[in-house]
Amino acid sequence: RPGSEDRAPAGAKILAKSLFDLTAADLEGFEAVVSAFGTPFDQPERVKEHVLAAKHLISVFKDLPKTRIIFIGGAGSLYTDESQTSTILDGMPEFLKNGVPGAAKEALELFRESNVNWSFFSPAYTFDSKGARSGSYTLGGDVKILNRVGKSYISYADAAIALVDEAETGAHTGKRFTAVSGDPYFRDMEQYFNIERYMFSRAGCWLGLKIDDPRYGKGALTLSTSRGMRTHRRPDGVDLFRIYPTYEGKRVPFAVHQ
């Protein structure tokens, strides 16, 4: 992008040119090209530029059959589950359906209908520009995937790794793919775990999870049992089991969302 030349590594060859002015001659000789085109969500008048960008790139890459275009789109077009009956976009408010997420979905359909050499990347629902680099990721296809703590999340840094790997392997040529950051635990981020408000009950007794302090890093999460209003404890006076997350063999602070 014009004006961002100083962000390139030393010695890199730079072509400062608008995407809409690119020609096949500009890109001849490349094995793969990644399009990271985007517009701000607070500029709705520019939404259709995503579709125009896809149309222009398709017209350019028709003359570059040996060069693959990897287009970064959005998560909105991902199916919510394996039944593939509804997408993330279906559950979004109208202004987003008519905004960037909707335009990105339209761009995906344009690539699917084209005869160019393409791949389409749908990042996770939370695409974190300031997120940590875990150095690993998990891949998916047309369906939203979650990391080990149940989040659809990827940092820009981990997405960059996934995109470079895709450029090198061509594993999703002619396909859409998605990814989530592979390691959900980062030392510089607070960790939250979701639990359901559910207890196993039988003949007046219940067995369930209990936390004595909801503040981050303060509470003790335990598996407890009770009959009536009396909590049954082991002879040493504690609840049945204490539960806590660990990382590299050490306990880590956490909180629980109910």
Side-chain angles (χ1 to χ4, degrees):
R1 186 180 68 212
S4 62
E5 298 89 339
D6 58 341
R7 297 171 61 185
K13 295 181 179 180
I14 299 171
L15 172 65
K17 198 172 187 178
S18 168
L19 177 150
F20 297 101
D21 295 329
L22 286 175
T23 66
D26 293 326
L27 303 175
E28 194 169 1
F30 287 97
E31 293 181 11
V33 174
V34 178
S35 169
F37 178 83
T39 61
F41 273 64
D42 60 355
Q43 296 181 17
E45 71 278 3
R46 297 184 59 191
V47 162
K48 284 301 180 181
E49 289 182 27
H50 290 264
V51 178
L52 296 175
K55 288 181 177 179
H56 181 69
L57 289 172
I58 288 170
S59 69
V60 169
F61 280 84
K62 283 180 179 178
D63 297 325
L64 297 167
K66 295 183 179 180
T67 304
R68 186 159 53 108
I69 172 65
I70 303 174
F71 193 91
I72 301 176
S77 58
L78 289 168
Y79 290 107
T80 56
D81 56 46
E82 293 295 339
S83 69
Q84 298 193 12
T85 56
S86 64
T87 65
I88 293 175
L89 189 65
D90 293 335
M92 289 183 173
E94 286 301 317
F95 78 93
L96 288 178
K97 290 180 181 179
N98 298 321
V100 172
K105 182 179 181 181
E106 189 175 345
L108 171 61
E109 295 307 318
L110 289 173
F111 278 103
R112 283 175 167 165
E113 295 168 1
S114 75
N115 58 0
V116 300
N117 189 356
W118 65 276
S119 295
F120 191 99
F121 177 62
S122 285
Y125 183 80
T126 300
F127 196 17
D128 189 354
S129 62
K130 298 180 180 179
R133 181 187 186 277
S134 75
S136 64
Y137 58 87
T138 301
L139 286 173
D142 288 322
V143 180
K144 179 185 75 173
I145 59 174
L146 307 176
N147 62 20
R148 286 183 291 166
V149 293
K151 302 294 184 181
S152 176
Y153 172 93
I154 192 166
S155 64
Y156 275 31
D158 286 340
I161 300 171
L163 288 163
V164 170
D165 288 347
E166 175 60 31
E168 292 180 343
T169 66
H172 297 89
T173 300
K175 299 177 182 177
R176 184 254 295 277
F177 68 105
T178 186
V180 294
S181 287
D183 189 345
Y185 178 75
F186 303 118
R187 288 183 174 84
D188 60 346
M189 295 172 61
E190 294 185 351
Q191 303 299 297
Y192 290 88
F193 300 86
N194 291 318
I195 62 172
E196 298 293 335
R197 289 180 176 272
Y198 179 77
M199 295 181 292
F200 305 92
S201 62
R202 180 180 178 185
C205 296
W206 60 258
L207 180 68
L209 292 172
K210 175 172 72 76
I211 191 163
D212 58 1
D213 192 330
R215 293 176 297 171
Y216 183 78
K218 301 294 184 181
L221 184 65
T222 55
L223 181 66
S224 303
T225 183
S226 174
R227 178 180 290 277
M229 298 299 293
R230 185 167 62 89
T231 299
H232 286 235
R233 297 178 179 272
R234 295 189 330 206
D236 57 3
V238 299
D239 291 303
L240 296 178
F241 297 100
R242 184 169 180 179
I243 302 168
Y244 50 84
T246 63
Y247 183 75
E248 295 182 346
K250 298 180 180 180
R251 297 185 188 184
V252 297
F254 70 98
V256 172
H257 281 171
Q258 292 183 316

